[in-house]
């Protein structure tokens, strides 16, 4: 399962924007889901500065689809929606900790 999880830089709510089945997920599907999520966030008045991914094989090539991708500086690309700088980070350990701390321990509403 792929979760597109949104958090604010300076506090505020954290939430799952989308849950997407990962069975058969391709790099292009992942890119398109990400662009759609960025578009939705921008339409609601938000700005995306950073995308944190795991080291799954699909996400290893996912960064290559972003505008102005450069293999020598693969952590910095252009946002396909706003054309602003967008930073990419691969950090599977942090993702697992974040899921545990923010998903499983969150109080039910």
């Amino acid at each position: 399962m792929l979760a597109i999880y949104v958090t604010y830089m300076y506090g505020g709510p954290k939430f799952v924007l989308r849950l997407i089945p990962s069975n058969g997920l391709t790099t292009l599907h992942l890119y398109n889901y990400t662009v759609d999520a960025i578009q939705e966030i921008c339409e609601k008045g938000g700005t995306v500065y950073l995308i944190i991914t795991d080291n799954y094989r699909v996400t290893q090539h996912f960064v290559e689809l972003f505008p102005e991708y450069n293999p020598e500086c693969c952590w910095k690309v252009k946002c396909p929606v706003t054309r602003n700088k967008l930073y990419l980070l691969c950090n599977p350990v942090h993702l697992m900790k974040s899921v545990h701390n923010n998903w499983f321990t969150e109080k039910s509403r």
Side-chain angles (χ1 to χ4, degrees):
M1 187 62 71
L2 169 69
I4 298 180
Y5 183 77
V6 177
T7 184
Y8 291 84
M9 284 181 64
Y10 302 108
K14 300 171 185 175
F15 58 93
V16 174
L17 183 63
R18 290 207 176 88
L19 288 174
I20 302 159
S22 59
N23 186 22
L25 185 69
T26 66
T27 301
L28 185 57
H29 287 131
L30 178 59
Y31 178 78
N32 289 334
Y33 287 133
T34 302
V35 171
D36 290 346
I38 293 170
Q39 182 69 41
E40 185 174 342
I41 291 166
C42 290
E43 287 173 358
K44 305 275 192 250
T47 304
V48 177
Y49 295 103
L50 174 70
I51 296 176
I52 303 174
T53 67
D54 61 5
N55 200 25
Y56 183 58
R57 65 176 174 78
V58 170
T59 57
Q60 291 172 354
H61 298 289
F62 159 75
V63 298
E64 298 170 4
L65 298 176
F66 281 90
E68 297 186 22
Y69 168 76
N70 177 355
E72 294 185 16
C73 186
C74 61
W75 53 270
K76 184 171 68 173
V77 295
K78 289 279 185 187
C79 177
V81 176
T82 64
R83 309 300 292 174
N84 294 332
K85 288 181 190 174
L86 181 62
Y87 297 93
L88 306 171
L89 178 65
C90 179
N91 189 344
V93 174
H94 180 262
L95 287 174
M96 293 302 170
K97 183 177 181 235
S98 180
V99 167
H100 176 269
N101 290 342
N102 296 303
W103 182 285
F104 296 117
T105 61
E106 183 175 325
K107 294 179 182 176
S108 298
R109 294 178 193 176

